[in-house]
Amino acid sequence: MRRSADVDALQQVLSAALGSPDPVCPLARLNQGMGAFAALDPAVLERPTLVGGGSPYHPTSPAPTRHALDELVRRAEALGVPQLLVPNVRRSDDTSALRAAGLVPIATESECVVRLTGEVDDVLRTRIGAERLNDLRRRDRAGSLEVTWERIRLSELDRSPWARDALVTLHQRQAERHGGHVNLYNAEALDALAQGPLAKRTEMLVRREQNAVVQAGLIATSHNGRGIYSLTQAIDHDDPAARDDLFAVSVYRLYLHARRSGLEWVHLGRGDIPRMRRLGADLFVPLDHWLRAPGLASPEEVGAEHPLSEYAAPPVTGVPVPGPARFRQVPRFDTIDLSSNTNPFLGAAGEYPHLDTTELADTYLATIATLPGHEGVDALSADHLLFSSGSVDGAMLLLAALASPGERVCVTPPTFPLYGHFAHLLRLPVVEVPLLGDDLSRIDTERVLAADPRVTILCDPNNPVGTRLDPEQVHELVVRGRGLVVIDEAYVEFSEQPSYARLIARHDNLIVLRTLSKAWGLAGARCGIALAQPGIIDALRRVQVPFGFTNASQHAVRDRLTDVRRVVAGIQRIRAERDRMASVLSEHPAVARVFPSETNFLFIRLHKHERVMDQLRGAGIVVADTGRVIPDTCRITIGDRRANTALLEALSAAL
């Protein structure tokens, strides 16, 4: 929770749970985050510890201010308590005061949030798949025949003493299952919560089977009125699998309740990311516990800023990341944002896009690491990635951020024409070094190196030809050249040769551009990706429009990345149809040659180019006429079977 008043209220609840005027107990008695403390010395686990700044309950709290932390330190000294714990602090918060006071970060599980961007079933269908959703709905319907749900306002709990007793009993059993740790929701804690300022925003959810309570939990509405915190749930079942099953169904019910109430998100607390993702969570915020204990050494700093790349253009070195993007890793879902001068009365479209795409970047990298030809990508982190408004936007960004007027840009025609277009607009001289070989797959490396360009842009697989460049020559340019080498891999998923993304961690001068417009089927979402060393990514971010990656695009990308089997199946269908069309076209009398292709298109040379182009236009079929680049050629995108059949018929009619 992001208000100091809410944090203070939870502190009082913790004190009540511990039966003490101050929240002091050994770490070993707390049943929250024990996995994070497992590596600590047993003596540290058994020492009395003052828990402050936040609480071990599920909602996170802001890192304490310097003044609040000074008060906390004085309080620990007055109590004679040797250790101090500030749990559940977002890694994106300003933690300088904690570090200055001698506290050490201990990484724990991330907090997990489900953002409800539409109807619950529609959202879950894209995130967890139709099969799992149907199973969840089936279990919910089956459970509803035997179990009833009740919601009780905590401020009215004295009218339902049976519910109070049931919640306490179930949580005591849960604490016993965890080895006798403190029951954070004992009778005293529940009374303190019911009598405190959070009572008006907190409800108890009770699930009864006949007259027996089988599940009890607490939820609290956020102070901004836009979401729900799931504070706790306890289930009366000894079978872990059955508890997980009941938990999943109750979470589904919670989503339905939130959506009916017009809320936008549900905070599930800390948890295992793969498990929470299977429940529909789509935002994961890294957390740390901060601990000060005798002899505890500070680890290597997490999330430290990377130095700006030496390849950054001089104007870029003198400016910071634009204001909004500077705070891109700060989640805003549970704050009241009065900083953006937007219209609050016309729905979610009136808000600026989310800038915290760290989790989405991690998801993308983890997803492509499972694809063939992407071995080694798991060495990259979110710091190596920048989302852009399409990969063409990425090309423009890198030229603006990494090259100064007068510095040369090398391109290798035939190639994507916008590279040269952007370079000319930025007053960068363009050096053209044409590709060589029958398949236009060889680079004149000596000529490129002799030009000594600031930036060399390679399109691989090539557009418009469809072939892959010689990998040894590409590697030679990266190793021997003084400038940057940019490889546009817009079509790499269709290729059987590996991606160069695996080499990013090894080379400071290598940039790989990717897109989700082609193999991933998200051309309308406008999502490009730049992969490079963190210092280069920082340079690109300094010239990027902060809000270019829209919320709608982010949701579309996240949903597609969690449905990778469908994408892989689509790629396989395209490859099969591409090979079939290549075989048919190579025998067609209108076609002089079909070039080898590792993309989702075919590059062909025609016998009667103008006549064929006219015939295709007359048949209502649009292909890319590349005759001005390479005489008598065109580029044909692989369509579905119906479109491809129509193309073949039109070609035959041209004769």
Side-chain angles (χ1 to χ4, degrees):
M1 293 184 177
R2 311 307 285 174
R3 287 200 314 181
S4 58
D6 296 340
V7 174
D8 292 342
L10 289 177
Q11 283 283 290
Q12 294 172 10
V13 175
L14 179 59
S15 294
L18 297 171
S20 166
D22 298 290
V24 176
C25 76
L27 294 178
R29 289 189 63 202
L30 297 176
N31 65 353
Q32 300 289 324
M34 286 308 298
F37 298 141
L40 295 177
D41 189 290
V44 175
L45 296 177
E46 296 299 333
R47 286 193 196 110
T49 305
L50 175 64
V51 182
S55 74
Y57 296 98
H58 271 178
T60 62
S61 58
T65 63
R66 189 174 299 276
H67 172 72
L69 194 55
D70 288 343
E71 289 294 321
L72 202 59
V73 170
R74 282 193 288 269
R75 188 177 175 190
E77 292 173 350
L79 292 169
V81 177
Q83 295 184 168
L84 185 64
L85 173 69
V86 179
N88 296 338
V89 176
R90 289 176 182 169
R91 199 166 291 168
S92 55
D93 284 356
D94 181 2
T95 57
S96 56
L98 287 162
R99 199 175 295 278
L103 280 84
V104 171
I106 300 174
T108 185
E109 293 174 316
S110 296
E111 63 177 321
C112 308
V113 181
V114 179
R115 290 180 287 193
L116 301 174
T117 56
E119 293 304 314
V120 171
D121 285 0
D122 293 337
V123 170
L124 293 181
R125 187 175 292 106
T126 55
R127 291 191 192 156
I128 67 177
E131 182 178 350
R132 179 165 173 77
L133 171 61
N134 291 337
D135 180 59
L136 191 60
R137 294 177 63 185
R138 178 187 56 77
R139 286 184 287 171
D140 177 58
R141 287 193 298 268
S144 298
L145 299 176
E146 303 174 355
V147 178
T148 59
W149 281 99
E150 297 177 57
R151 290 167 46 200
I152 304 169
R153 290 187 179 276
L154 209 62
S155 57
E156 302 171 357
L157 189 58
D158 55 354
R159 302 178 187 177
S160 306
W162 61 269
R164 173 185 180 277
D165 294 342
L167 186 137
V168 170
T169 299
L170 291 183
H171 278 80
Q172 181 59 40
R173 293 175 185 170
Q174 180 171 278
E176 292 170 356
R177 280 197 298 265
H178 285 84
H181 297 301
V182 173
N183 177 9
L184 297 181
Y185 288 100
N186 56 26
E188 293 75 17
L190 190 57
D191 288 343
L193 188 61
Q195 296 163 13
L198 288 174
K200 294 181 180 179
R201 291 169 24 213
T202 305
E203 292 180 296
M204 182 182 295
L205 297 181
V206 180
R207 195 176 188 187
R208 287 203 283 185
E209 187 172 1
Q210 296 178 352
N211 291 324
V213 175
V214 296
Q215 190 172 358
L218 295 171
I219 61 172
T221 304
S222 62
H223 80 282
N224 65 2
R226 297 174 62 179
I228 290 176
Y229 296 102
S230 177
L231 299 181
T232 181
Q233 284 196 52
I235 298 170
D236 187 20
H237 208 296
D238 292 329
D239 182 0
R243 288 200 301 270
D244 283 346
D245 184 67
L246 289 170
F247 177 74
V249 171
S250 64
V251 164
Y252 176 67
R253 281 276 168 168
L254 190 56
Y255 299 161
L256 296 174
H257 161 66
R259 184 63 182 173
R260 283 194 296 266
S261 302
L263 302 178
E264 301 171 9
W265 51 266
V266 174
H267 188 287
L268 298 179
R270 290 186 292 109
D272 175 67
I273 289 179
R275 176 177 178 244
M276 292 301 192
R277 198 188 297 280
R278 289 193 295 271
L279 292 173
D282 69 324
L283 178 62
F284 305 93
V285 182
L287 302 177
D288 296 304
H289 298 321
W290 287 78
L291 177 65
R292 190 175 76 169
L296 189 64
S298 179
E300 184 178 346
E301 186 168 351
V302 177
E305 289 293 323
H306 298 278
L308 190 66
S309 171
E310 62 179 319
Y311 292 101
V316 174
T317 62
V319 297
V321 174
R326 203 176 312 141
F327 306 104
R328 64 189 178 278
Q329 294 179 331
V330 180
R332 299 294 181 93
F333 67 94
D334 56 356
T335 59
I336 295 175
D337 186 1
L338 299 178
S339 67
S340 301
N341 302 337
T342 55
N343 188 333
F345 302 112
L346 295 178
E351 300 176 5
Y352 282 115
H354 299 292
L355 291 174
D356 181 20
T357 56
T358 302
E359 184 272 332
L360 188 58
D362 287 334
T363 301
Y364 175 78
L365 292 171
T367 301
I368 66 170
T370 65
L371 301 178
H374 289 77
E375 295 76 10
V377 171
D378 52 3
L380 305 181
S381 70
D383 292 331
H384 293 85
L385 187 150
L386 180 78
F387 289 106
S388 60
S389 182
S391 60
V392 291
D393 179 47
M396 182 69 162
L397 285 176
L398 68 90
L399 290 175
L402 306 173
S404 299
E407 292 183 320
R408 290 182 289 276
V409 174
C410 180
V411 297
T412 57
T415 191
F416 188 54
L418 282 184
Y419 307 148
H421 175 80
F422 289 149
H424 285 303
L425 291 177
L426 294 170
R427 298 180 176 85
L428 304 172
V430 176
V431 177
E432 294 189 348
V433 179
L435 295 175
L436 307 173
D438 290 341
D439 296 336
L440 299 175
S441 60
R442 295 193 57 78
I443 308 168
D444 191 339
T445 54
E446 295 304 323
R447 187 174 169 188
V448 173
L449 293 170
D452 193 23
R454 176 67 171 184
V455 181
T456 299
I457 306 180
L458 306 174
C459 191
D460 187 34
N462 181 273
N463 178 16
V465 181
T467 52
R468 292 296 301 264
L469 298 174
D470 185 322
E472 293 185 4
Q473 292 184 313
V474 173
H475 189 261
E476 185 179 8
L477 289 180
V478 174
V479 173
R480 291 180 57 195
R482 294 195 304 167
L484 291 155
V485 176
V486 180
I487 305 177
D488 185 348
E489 291 190 339
Y491 301 94
V492 75
E493 292 89 348
F494 300 105
S495 173
E496 295 184 0
Q497 296 185 43
S499 163
Y500 289 98
R502 70 194 191 283
L503 303 179
I504 288 294
R506 304 184 205 169
H507 299 287
D508 293 339
N509 65 331
L510 176 62
I511 303 173
V512 172
L513 297 180
R514 306 287 290 256
T515 181
L516 273 76
S517 296
K518 310 302 182 184
W520 298 87
L522 290 177
R526 307 309 305 131
C527 177
I529 292 159
L531 298 172
Q533 290 283 343
I536 288 179
I537 296 299
D538 187 30
L540 301 184
R541 191 168 277 120
R542 296 186 187 204
V543 300
Q544 183 181 39
V545 175
F547 297 113
F549 189 26
T550 69
N551 279 342
S553 294
Q554 291 181 43
H555 295 317
V557 169
R558 182 175 287 104
D559 293 342
R560 187 56 51 84
L561 290 176
T562 58
D563 194 14
V564 69
R565 286 184 298 179
R566 183 182 172 199
V567 174
V568 171
I571 292 171
Q572 292 172 343
R573 290 181 64 186
I574 288 173
R575 283 178 174 176
E577 188 67 4
R578 177 194 67 194
D579 295 344
R580 184 187 75 86
M581 286 292 291
S583 177
V584 173
L585 287 171
S586 64
E587 301 295 329
H588 199 284
V591 177
R593 186 189 176 192
V594 178
F595 282 72
S597 176
E598 296 200 45
T599 63
N600 64 335
F601 59 81
L602 292 172
F603 188 67
I604 66 174
R605 180 176 289 120
L606 299 165
H607 283 302
K608 299 180 179 180
H609 177 264
E610 293 300 327
R611 181 175 175 179
V612 171
M613 288 296 102
D614 288 343
Q615 182 65 30
L616 293 179
R617 282 189 288 268
I621 297 174
V622 180
V623 299
D625 187 349
T626 53
R628 294 184 180 180
V629 179
I630 297 178
D632 301 327
T633 62
C634 70
R635 189 195 66 200
I636 303 171
T637 302
I638 301 302
D640 58 24
R641 183 62 66 98
R642 180 177 180 180
N644 296 336
T645 299
L647 171 78
L648 294 173
E649 291 174 351
L651 282 176
S652 297
L655 300 177

